[in-house]
Amino acid sequence: MEITIDPVTRLEGHHGVKINVEDGVVTDAKALALMFRGFERILVGRDIRDAPIITQRICGVCHNDHRLASLFAIENAAGMADEWNVGMPPAATAFRNLVTTLQYVYDHPVWVYVLVGPDFSDSPHKTGLTRLNPIVGKGVKEAVWAQKELHKAMAIIGGKVPHMMTPAPGGMTLEIDEKIITQLVGIVADVKKWAVGVGIGQPAATNAEYVLDEVLKQMEEIKAGKRDAFEPKEGMGNALFDMVAMIAVAHDMGLNEQGVWEDSKMLAYGFLPDPESGELYFPSGFFNGSELENMDYRKISEDVTYSWYKDETQTGYVGTDLPPEPYYGKSGAYTWGKAPRYNGLPAEVGPLPRLVAMYLKKSKELGDPLGLRKTFCGSATASTALSRMIARIQEELIMIDYLESLLLQLKDYAGKKTAIEYPENISGEGVGLREAPRGALGHWVVAENGKIKRYQAVVPTTWNVSPKDSKGQHGPLESALIGTPVSDPANPWEVVRTIHSFDLCLACTVHIFTKEGRKYNLTLDACSI
């Protein structure tokens, strides 16, 4: 039986999946990206300083991530900083780290309450998670308030949100002062109190064990018919309670045994350089299934064997590869998505790979906070639908603490220089590497006399929804779907939940070609292929 699910996402993008099901199990899967992006082609011939402004329009949610990755690339091309942006004025780095962290604290709850929460909510599934019911759930309404507050904080720094304007070639266009710090601390304190139930100065995970005990107690009461719904107690942290309750329900549904990629590989670029030492707070690394290797971005290539691009555009390292030449209708191809590979291997990206790299390279406590993945998934490095969900929630706690530490550091940079002059008419190659909430994000640029000669962006979802390659290797999502049970082919929720565990994010302004060859220009609300 062949089943096509299209679209698979609720807010961001229009990705599809085609699966074959035999005897109640997925036996084959194809990840379908049915839109052409073409941002790289728009950039060719433009002033290199235009790149951050244009590429941030790739996404209405991760706008800041693309702007910063592009800035990293063009500043690297100018010889001002390395690929992770180490070398810029410390005050600029502190500001950019702050913007990044605010984006994370904002983004992960969007995934919980909007993108994946409905998969487990009481409305369709009678789980007791009424707070996650779409639109009308109490938790959803509270989260909208928190999102508004965090957008306000980002706008204080960026001038506006989305598409903030103050990160600019050479640094930032504003300096840190006492007024900005006071405003940000006030907003973060309010949101933190709602999210995790404690104020500034206390670890975000302070109430975690208390919340877990309460969630498990309420779950037993719901199963016994003694209560109808999960409900947080006063002051325990409403968002933390909702997230833990969702994880408990997901575990009860068996997601620790669904969406499994047995032979998983994981990639993390690393990000958040210390303003003074340049050490990355989140380390880079490639997990080969048994150990963490040092990451070398020159081992990244893209395969287009099953993509609608001409085969001759796959020549090797992504930084020097030819721009992909569209070839819609190519025999055997089934997607506009390309197949990024690290040293010839597919790799999953996102919160789970980031925390696996943290676990194996830097800190087991930070890499698997509270040991949740080891407890519920059998291992801190397991790649399952549930472990991806847990990792995203664990990372939210880490980011809240990191954000608070940044706010406390800001006073050290008050009034200090946040920018240096960006040179005119540069020629050279540049790379910008960082981590968007959904995973490893890289921009590559080649400039000649200040003009862009070639540009390439490899975004997180491109890694995760990549199609098969010339070796017949499936991408991460396809691999995770194969073997997933399907209890009801008319409502394949196991498949949908596995897809959503990757937190996909697809395309913006696109061209759609009809069978008759007509072309339409559409503006959609999304990310990138």
Side-chain angles (χ1 to χ4, degrees):
M1 175 187 293
E2 183 176 276
I3 300 174
T4 300
I5 306 172
D6 185 6
V8 297
T9 51
R10 292 192 169 85
L11 175 65
E12 294 152 323
H14 311 273
H15 180 258
V17 163
K18 184 181 290 185
I19 56 174
N20 290 330
V21 180
E22 294 180 13
D23 299 326
V25 176
V26 177
T27 57
D28 194 16
K30 291 181 178 177
L32 311 174
L34 302 179
M35 300 191 300
F36 176 66
R37 182 178 57 166
F39 266 78
E40 292 93 337
R41 291 176 168 272
I42 297 172
L43 290 166
V44 173
R46 289 182 174 272
D47 190 303
I48 192 171
R49 293 166 296 188
D50 289 346
I53 299 170
I54 293 173
T55 58
Q56 75 177 158
R57 267 73 184 178
I58 287 174
C59 180
V61 176
C62 299
H63 52 93
N64 171 61
D65 297 287
H66 284 287
R67 187 176 180 106
L68 289 177
S70 184
L71 284 167
F72 290 9
I74 72 170
E75 288 164 353
N76 180 236
M80 305 169 75
D82 72 5
E83 294 83 348
W84 288 266
N85 212 225
V86 176
M88 299 301 290
T93 300
F95 242 151
R96 289 178 174 185
N97 286 349
L98 183 62
V99 169
T100 296
T101 312
L102 282 168
Q103 171 72 20
Y104 266 73
V105 175
Y106 161 86
D107 193 273
H108 285 345
V110 171
W111 173 81
V112 171
Y113 288 102
V114 178
L115 301 181
V116 75
D119 294 349
F120 304 94
S121 66
D122 188 74
S123 179
H125 303 294
K126 305 304 177 189
T127 57
L129 292 172
T130 58
R131 288 177 55 82
L132 297 184
N133 284 345
I135 301 176
V136 299
K138 285 172 62 178
V140 175
K141 292 180 178 178
E142 293 167 10
V144 170
W145 164 82
Q147 304 307 294
K148 184 187 72 174
E149 291 300 301
L150 291 168
H151 258 192
K152 193 188 300 180
M154 286 189 276
I156 288 171
I157 301 172
K160 70 186 187 72
V161 172
H163 309 309
M164 55 179 56
M165 299 302 292
T166 53
M172 301 288 290
T173 60
L174 79 167
E175 293 185 352
I176 298 168
D177 62 29
E178 187 175 328
K179 181 180 178 182
I180 291 176
I181 296 173
T182 301
Q183 288 176 308
L184 294 177
V185 169
I187 291 172
V188 170
D190 289 344
V191 173
K192 183 180 178 183
K193 189 71 176 177
W194 165 76
V196 295
V198 296
I200 297 291
Q202 293 178 280
T206 298
N207 289 339
E209 293 188 10
Y210 165 41
V211 167
L212 179 59
D213 289 343
E214 182 62 25
V215 163
L216 295 178
K217 175 187 168 190
Q218 292 192 18
M219 174 177 271
E220 292 304 315
E221 292 174 351
I222 291 170
K223 287 181 176 179
K226 296 179 180 177
R227 65 184 303 138
D228 296 326
F230 290 96
E231 188 64 35
K233 289 192 171 181
E234 181 74 25
M236 66 174 15
N238 290 5
L240 180 61
F241 179 88
D242 290 336
M243 291 189 289
V244 172
M246 186 177 73
I247 290 299
V249 169
H251 182 265
D252 202 48
M253 290 179 171
L255 265 73
N256 54 317
E257 297 178 349
Q258 298 172 18
V260 178
W261 185 12
E262 293 284 359
D263 188 28
S264 65
K265 312 289 187 297
M266 303 183 193
L267 179 68
Y269 289 163
F271 72 133
L272 296 175
D274 183 270
E276 303 295 336
S277 69
E279 180 184 359
L280 301 179
Y281 185 74
F282 277 82
S284 64
F286 174 71
F287 179 63
N288 61 19
S290 59
E291 61 182 1
L292 192 74
E293 301 176 9
N294 289 330
M295 197 279 292
D296 179 357
Y297 65 83
R298 295 174 186 82
K299 294 182 178 179
I300 296 172
S301 60
E302 289 189 305
D303 189 299
V304 296
T305 303
Y306 290 90
S307 309
W308 288 312
Y309 300 96
K310 292 183 178 178
D311 290 336
E312 54 267 31
T313 59
Q314 51 180 43
T315 59
Y317 169 52
V318 69
T320 55
D321 219 346
L322 294 169
E325 188 69 30
Y327 182 16
Y328 185 69
K330 188 175 83 174
S331 178
Y334 57 87
T335 178
W336 283 111
K338 295 170 286 184
R341 294 293 183 262
Y342 181 83
N343 205 18
L345 297 170
E348 177 179 348
V349 300
L352 177 60
R354 281 195 290 270
L355 293 194
V356 167
M358 179 76 85
Y359 184 87
L360 295 175
K361 194 170 186 176
K362 189 171 181 178
S363 164
K364 284 186 167 45
E365 288 72 25
L366 283 176
D368 187 16
L370 306 173
L372 293 178
R373 299 202 307 283
K374 185 174 182 180
T375 300
F376 291 106
C377 305
S379 166
T381 60
S383 175
T384 72
L386 186 63
S387 60
R388 294 181 202 103
M389 294 175 64
I390 292 175
R392 190 165 279 105
I393 290 168
Q394 289 175 317
E395 193 173 66
E396 177 74 1
L397 298 177
I398 294 171
M399 282 301 189
I400 289 174
D401 286 340
Y402 183 78
L403 171 60
E404 189 173 321
S405 70
L406 279 176
L407 289 173
L408 295 175
Q409 288 177 14
L410 277 187
K411 65 180 186 309
D412 297 337
Y413 300 106
K416 294 189 176 178
K417 180 175 67 175
T418 56
I420 50 180
E421 186 174 350
Y422 191 84
E424 298 278 347
N425 301 322
I426 69 156
S427 297
E429 299 178 10
V431 182
L433 301 175
R434 64 192 317 280
E435 291 279 337
R438 290 173 177 79
L441 173 63
H443 283 219
W444 283 259
V445 65
V446 177
E448 194 170 88
N449 296 321
K451 302 292 184 183
I452 295 172
K453 188 176 179 182
R454 72 175 300 282
Y455 202 95
Q456 183 68 289
V458 182
V459 310
T461 299
T462 314
W463 284 97
N464 286 335
V465 306
S466 70
K468 286 197 294 185
D469 59 25
S470 61
K471 299 176 183 176
Q473 299 176 113
H474 288 278
L477 174 62
E478 293 180 346
S479 294
L481 287 173
I482 295 172
T484 294
V486 178
S487 57
D488 179 6
N491 295 287
W493 277 105
E494 298 92 342
V495 172
V496 171
R497 290 179 180 124
T498 294
I499 295 168
H500 289 169
S501 71
F502 282 92
D503 192 18
L504 305 179
C505 183
L506 296 168
C508 290
T509 300
V510 299
H511 294 168
I512 293 179
F513 293 84
T514 69
K515 292 180 180 178
E516 293 74 29
R518 287 176 294 173
K519 183 173 71 176
Y520 297 93
N521 295 329
L522 301 177
T523 300
L524 302 172
D525 59 339
C527 269
S528 60
I529 293 175

